Amino acid sequence: MNVDAFEKWESEIRGYCRAYPTVFASASNARQIDEDGRSYIDFFAGAGVLNFGHNNARMKRAMIEFLEADGVAHSLDMYTTPKRAFIEKFAETVLEPRGMNHRMQFMGPTGSNAVEAALKLARKVTGRHNVVAFSHGFHGMTLGSLACTANDYFRNAAGVPLLNVIRMPFETRPGGGLQSLDDYRALLADVSSGHKPPAAFIVEVIQAEGGVNVASKEWLQAVQKLAHDHSALFIIDDIQAGCGRTGSYFSFDGMDLDPDIVNLAKGLGGFGTPIAMNLVKPEHDKHWQPGEHTGTFRGQGLSFVAGREALSYFENDELMSEVRAKGQRMADHLQAIAGEFPAEKLAVRGRGMIQAIDVNDGALAKAMAKECFDNGLLIGPCGSGGRVMKLIPPLTIPDDELSEGLDIFSNAVRKVLQENQRKSA
Ligand SMILES: Cc1ncc(COP(=O)(O)O)c(C=O)c1O
């Protein structure tokens, strides 16, 4: 393993490579191989990008054909054949079956950029400044989206005040639940409360980076109602939990919700090819002037080609029913390991193939992630101080590799917790 070039030339900002100190050379579906030939099972999947695995064969073939035919790889937002094919397929596979008539807005290819565009549009539509975001939410790193992100570590790097966001407690956090929404409603009804209605509420159905906190249908419906009763927009950030992760295309499917804007990125490009897109209700979309939220990389040819291929997984329920079944296996496995350590009060949370166990302590979680890495499993902690072990393998992971990864994981949890018990005995 030779890391000299990285250590000599790459910025101090580098992060994940410090947790996984090796140099990866190739990857296939749920496995990554380093340059020394060591194989790792991937329970991290590019932080939720690689829903369909590394080097997905169908997407690779489609992209090779596209390149060999001299397809248009970059076109700003000009009309191209791969973009048309993606739009048609998305409408046919995702929007029309749900009776959604949202417009597709492309922007620079990051989740953060999708959130920026949504915030801008909500402010434009309503003429208001403030947006409600929730404790433990994660919405990106650029200044507008960072203002909505709750985590202190990231906020502290902003260098300027992060303004125009009202922070409310997420449903499952202290002070959260329906009562806090009612309290805010009462403030908005009181002309002398000092509160004016916000431009929007932005929420994750499952807070992924925030610790895999899962909101209920009832609470989300109440957030939406509060927004709509005050002519504010209801924005769902489905950047990490969308694109099939929970066992359905959107994390909010079946919840009887009607978001004004849905943010998508990460898994949308299928192959790890970057793309971001907002789904915007037409009555809001008409407030944009041409090119008002521009960006050089609004939809790359390769991302459209691979992303279109990814949508074919949603033509029937085959993959999604597998996701629900594998997700249940993951949850059962985590419950079993939590049951072995009743005194530690480990909480298991998740839906579909985003599952997590809260070990209540960032240092313990870090030790578990290291133990997993040493035994050939890539896994990333999340939540406050990194205390939550989040399992997000590719949705296409074979059964035997899922079992192998879960076994490595529970052995690591056992080893670290038993050592910790010995130390504190
Ligand atoms: C829910 C959510 N929103 C927004 C983002 C930001 O996306 P990006 O890192 O592509 O800017 C992330 C990234 O983890 C996310 O999980």
Side-chain angles (χ1 to χ4, degrees), residues 110-112 138-140 204 209 237 239-240 266:
T110 64
S112 194
F138 186 97
H139 300 285
E204 292 161 89
E209 295 306 308
D237 179 342
I239 287 166
Q240 190 160 158
K266 289 198 190 263

Side-chain angles (χ1 to χ4, degrees), residues 156-203:
N156 287 342
V160 292
L162 295 168
L163 304 174
N164 299 118
V165 168
I166 296 162
R167 185 78 47 194
M168 290 190 65
F170 188 72
E171 179 183 15
T172 58
R173 308 306 305 189
L178 294 174
Q179 185 60 51
S180 65
L181 299 178
D182 287 345
D183 292 346
Y184 186 53
R185 180 183 288 277
L187 285 172
L188 292 177
D190 176 354
V191 287
S192 294
S193 68
H195 283 267
K196 290 243 188 251
F201 290 66
I202 183 165
V203 67

Side-chain angles (χ1 to χ4, degrees), residues 27 55 75 97 138 182 200 205 239 255 295 297 310 361 388 394 417:
N55 280 301
S75 66
F138 186 97
D182 287 345
V205 171
I239 287 166
M255 292 189 171
F297 296 104
D361 181 331
V388 180
L417 291 182

